[in-house]
Amino acid sequence: KWKGEGTTQNLESIVIGRCYDYIRIVNPAVGEKNCTQIWEAFKNAFINKDPCSILPKDYELFINLTFHTIPPNKSLFWENNQLLVSSFADRGRRYMPLADTLFGFVGDLLNWCGQADSPGLDYESCPTMMECENNAVDSFWRMTSIIYAQHSSGVIQVLLNGSAEGGAYPQTGFFADYEIPNLQKDKISQVVIWVVDDIEGPDLDSCGTNSVKTLENRLKTLGFDVTCSDNYKSVMFLLCLD
């Protein structure tokens, strides 16, 4: 048995339902998509395979079927504040983080894995990142992160948690390892970093210090125009509200 939780119950219904929800209600501007085909492509990326040998490229067909353009100036990258990002973005109304694209939306907060030589899903347990890097879920988010970064344009936003232990900008993480290397410099006019502390949380990291300084330097070295602000008011209001 693996250490991670098993596949989310009713996975097929959720993925197909989310696909229709997205193209009909959340963002009809993406046009028609074949939600049944999308489920098949998603499932075939990991079904019948060793759950520790799923690679990002296994999701290529899924990406091709779900792909749509990301509006300029709407990209929102983040680390250590998933729920805050989803309420701030408001399902693409304010911003469009990865989880508010169609390819991210269908997998958001779900868990899944298959089994070698079996067409079924494993509902009992799935491997964690610690047990193996090439598991179905992490490879999915690697692939979608790469695509998301490659197609982001205009002013891009990065929301970091200034109260996160170990620093607001993790040196290893999806943003550092898969998104920054895939940003297209000719398409991006500015990178805006917001460092927001938890309400009554410790102020461990800020613009120009510690890990945020490391991030600012990395982006500037890559040739990006970078600005940073601490405790951006709009996000603080949302935290206060919660």
Side-chain angles (χ1 to χ4, degrees):
K1 288 284 166 273
W2 302 106
K3 292 192 172 74
E5 58 181 90
T7 300
T8 308
Q9 295 287 337
N10 309 103
L11 184 71
E12 178 177 355
S13 302
I14 294 171
V15 169
I16 293 174
R18 280 184 177 183
C19 173
Y20 282 118
D21 185 28
Y22 194 88
I23 65 171
R24 298 285 177 255
I25 298 159
V26 177
N27 189 6
V30 301
E32 274 304 305
K33 302 283 180 190
N34 187 323
C35 294
T36 315
Q37 265 185 355
I38 285 169
W39 159 253
E40 290 297 327
F42 175 77
K43 180 183 71 172
N44 289 334
F46 64 90
I47 216 81
N48 264 325
K49 296 179 191 171
D50 171 353
C52 277
S53 61
I54 315 298
L55 298 172
K57 65 178 175 55
D58 294 333
Y59 288 99
E60 265 171 10
L61 177 57
F62 167 82
I63 290 290
N64 292 340
L65 294 172
T66 52
F67 184 76
H68 58 86
T69 53
I70 297 159
N73 312 320
K74 290 277 194 176
S75 291
L76 175 59
F77 296 87
W78 57 274
E79 283 285 3
N80 296 317
N81 47 29
Q82 185 170 14
L83 296 176
L84 174 62
V85 164
S86 94
S87 59
F88 182 51
D90 195 20
R91 295 181 91 181
R93 196 171 64 86
R94 293 193 193 96
Y95 291 98
M96 189 181 281
L98 173 53
D100 288 328
T101 62
L102 174 56
F103 40 96
F105 191 80
V106 295
D108 193 33
L109 302 173
L110 300 179
N111 213 45
W112 62 88
C113 66
Q115 305 162 68
D117 310 317
S118 156
L121 300 165
D122 189 340
Y123 291 103
E124 285 179 38
S125 65
C126 290
T128 62
M129 184 76 152
M130 294 306 181
E131 290 174 287
C132 59
E133 203 177 353
N134 291 328
N135 64 69
V137 174
D138 283 306
S139 287
F140 173 86
W141 289 115
R142 275 192 214 109
M143 183 66 175
T144 52
S145 291
I146 289 165
I147 296 297
Y148 180 72
Q150 285 173 345
H151 294 276
S152 290
S153 64
V155 178
I156 65 166
Q157 289 72 215
V158 183
L159 180 55
L160 301 175
N161 184 340
S163 301
E165 283 184 34
Y169 165 62
Q171 311 287 309
T172 55
F174 281 92
F175 183 53
D177 296 339
Y178 300 101
E179 292 171 336
I180 293 176
N182 284 290
L183 295 173
Q184 308 293 301
K185 191 167 148 289
D186 55 334
K187 294 204 289 194
I188 292 166
S189 55
Q190 192 177 40
V191 181
V192 175
I193 302 168
W194 295 316
V195 185
V196 178
D197 300 330
D198 295 336
I199 299 288
E200 295 176 1
D203 175 9
L204 301 178
D205 220 339
S206 311
C207 294
T209 63
N210 303 331
S211 75
V212 182
K213 183 170 188 164
T214 306
L215 171 61
E216 291 175 81
N217 289 342
R218 179 177 178 188
L219 291 169
K220 283 172 184 167
T221 305
L222 291 169
F224 291 105
D225 174 16
V226 182
T227 64
C228 184
S229 58
D230 288 309
N231 291 325
Y232 178 55
K233 271 234 166 60
S234 302
V235 180
M236 293 303 288
F237 287 144
L238 204 50
L239 282 172
C240 291
L241 186 66
D242 288 343

